[in-house]
Amino acid sequence: MSQRTLVLLKPDAVRRGLVGEILGRIETKANWQIVALELRTLEREVLEQHYGEHMGKPFYEPLMEFMASGPVVALVVKGERVIEGVRALAGPTDPIAAAPGSIRGDFGTIVRENLIHASDSEESAEREMKIFFPGLA
Ligand code: IDP
Ligand code: MG
């Protein structure tokens, strides 16, 4: 089942020079392809659209500030069961709970700065791809 998913390498990943390492893990999975990719610093409005579901939660404002603190790498990955697959590569939200071998488990310690975002469903993927790559067919 071919799908597409929206991935963000968060500002901590870019600052720490982990872009190559993380992209490599995605790129080396069989039958997946990167079909869009951009380095950009996110505006508040874009972040509000992207993280709207979390508005009002205690971690929302610090998350918005963190996500605007430097450039992110936004990409779309296409391929076999890629939505579930990138979430599995990323590991669970809390990097300390994430298994070693996962991106968050290997490189993170604090929940907010957990290196990577990946769409959690086909609906989220469609919505998020439109925010970051409106021109993508
Ligand atoms: P996800 O990225 O694993 O899907 P979500 O629950 O959708 O996790 O939360 C979005 C992002 O908000 C997380 O990736 C993390 O950066 C941040 N976040 C979530 N929960 C907390 C928290 O309890 N404290 C601090 N930051 C959090
Ligand atoms: Mg989420």
Side-chain angles (χ1 to χ4, degrees):
M1 181 190 30
S2 184
Q3 302 176 321
R4 293 189 297 178
T5 192
L6 185 278
V7 176
L8 300 175
L9 309 190
K10 296 183 179 183
D12 56 334
V14 176
R15 262 197 295 274
R16 292 172 58 197
L18 292 169
V19 170
E21 167 72 37
I22 297 171
L23 286 183
R25 292 181 181 208
I26 293 171
E27 213 181 7
T28 50
K29 287 286 277 188
N31 306 310
W32 288 3
Q33 276 178 279
I34 294 170
V35 295
L37 182 126
E38 187 182 25
L39 179 80
R40 77 188 256 203
T41 302
L42 302 178
E43 323 263 323
R44 175 86 193 190
E45 304 78 68
V46 170
L47 283 167
E48 282 175 0
Q49 281 183 56
H50 178 65
Y51 278 133
E53 66 175 306
H54 296 305
M55 199 179 287
K57 293 181 185 171
F59 62 82
Y60 180 75
E61 279 304 328
L63 174 64
M64 301 295 269
E65 205 166 300
F66 163 61
M67 288 298 295
S69 68
V72 306
V73 172
L75 61 150
V76 173
V77 190
K78 182 181 175 183
E80 183 65 23
R81 296 176 64 196
V82 73
I83 294 173
E84 182 188 352
V86 180
R87 297 279 292 186
L89 283 185
T93 310
D94 176 355
I96 294 293
S102 67
I103 292 162
R104 288 165 169 173
D106 282 350
F107 301 119
T109 50
I110 64 178
V111 177
R112 182 173 53 247
E113 301 188 14
N114 61 0
L115 302 133
I116 183 169
H117 165 85
S119 308
D120 62 9
S121 66
E122 288 191 32
E123 297 67 44
S124 305
E126 285 304 317
R127 190 181 71 78
E128 292 169 3
M129 284 189 296
K130 284 201 185 80
I131 297 172
F132 291 91
F133 297 100
L136 197 66

